[in-house]
Amino acid sequence: MPDVSGTESTIFVPDSDPGKWGLISYENQKRKAGFTAGVEAQYQFTSLFGLSVGVFYTQQGAKYGTKGKRGTPNGEQFDFKDDLKVNLNSIATPVLANVYVWKGLALKAGLQPEFAVSRSTSGDYAISYKGKPATTSSGAFIKTFALSVPVGISYEYKNLVADLRYNFGVTNLRQDGDKWNRSYGPAAHNRSLTFTVGYKWGL
């Protein structure tokens, strides 16, 4: 997240009127690693088909190759000493159909609502606007709700389950994405690959 070739960060100057703001754009998206943990319950309708529901804590976000970038466009002055990171931590609740194609090997697909619990921007950088210190607010413009379509494959061996999923985001993460933000760039969607190993037990 987000699946865009470039994005923007709105900057604000403390104690200024709403018109005193600008935009800094940055590109060169990189991979950003995160952590996922949770629980999942499955009801087995037949030996070939099951339906699962889960609750997971996920660390997502984006990383951009901004290290060393400097500039003074339109009154803004910025100096990035590190790659900029947009951090998005969410609670995901996947609902998946699982089709067993061979001895514990299952293909799966479904829907995954995601609810953000924290949104932030991090990195070693300095920004000013017309000579005054300014702050960036990329995280503030990420919506608290997103919907993804997970597809994947899992393999069960005794009580161990290895699971690989790719999540396709289908909702725009930008707040006000249908208003002023759209003119500055494309929609932002989650795109994430997760690998988990778990223990399975029956009731």
Side-chain angles (χ1 to χ4, degrees):
M1 169 246 129
D3 183 24
V4 293
S5 58
T7 188
E8 297 79 29
S9 174
T10 305
I11 61 173
F12 292 92
V13 180
D15 303 322
S16 65
D17 64 75
K20 299 293 181 67
W21 59 276
L23 289 174
I24 294 175
S25 64
Y26 38 87
E27 299 179 337
N28 303 324
Q29 184 175 345
K30 298 181 178 182
R31 292 185 179 90
K32 182 177 182 294
F35 173 77
T36 297
V39 295
E40 202 164 45
Q42 178 170 309
Y43 183 80
Q44 199 72 31
F45 290 93
T46 70
S47 61
L48 298 178
F49 178 76
L51 185 68
S52 64
V53 179
V55 179
F56 289 84
Y57 173 80
T58 66
Q59 292 180 331
Q60 302 179 72
K63 183 178 179 181
Y64 298 90
T66 55
K67 185 175 181 179
K69 186 174 182 179
R70 306 177 68 183
T72 55
N74 304 318
E76 305 104 29
Q77 183 173 355
F78 57 90
D79 181 6
F80 288 94
K81 298 179 176 61
D82 195 6
D83 288 337
L84 187 71
K85 301 179 184 69
V86 178
N87 308 301
L88 174 63
N89 299 324
S90 302
I91 299 297
T93 56
V95 180
L96 298 171
N98 302 278
V99 179
Y100 289 83
V101 294
W102 182 78
K103 288 185 180 180
L105 183 67
L107 303 179
K108 50 187 62 187
L111 291 175
Q112 178 171 287
E114 300 168 2
F115 306 89
V117 294
S118 67
R119 298 160 292 171
S120 65
T121 302
S122 64
D124 185 3
Y125 58 86
I127 301 176
S128 64
Y129 182 74
K130 294 185 178 179
K132 296 182 180 180
T135 57
T136 181
S137 61
S138 295
F141 286 101
I142 299 174
K143 292 180 179 178
T144 56
F145 174 79
L147 183 66
S148 296
V149 175
V151 295
I153 186 171
S154 67
Y155 181 71
E156 300 175 14
Y157 178 72
K158 295 183 179 180
N159 292 99
L160 294 179
V161 183
D163 187 294
L164 182 67
R165 300 179 192 176
Y166 192 83
N167 301 301
F168 296 89
V170 295
T171 56
N172 186 2
L173 290 177
R174 290 179 183 270
Q175 287 186 5
D176 298 324
D178 295 328
K179 299 178 183 178
W180 66 271
N181 239 351
R182 175 168 291 182
S183 64
Y184 293 105
H189 300 90
N190 270 335
R191 297 286 190 271
S192 61
L193 180 68
T194 63
F195 175 73
T196 59
V197 176
Y199 184 83
K200 180 179 179 180
W201 67 90
L203 299 178

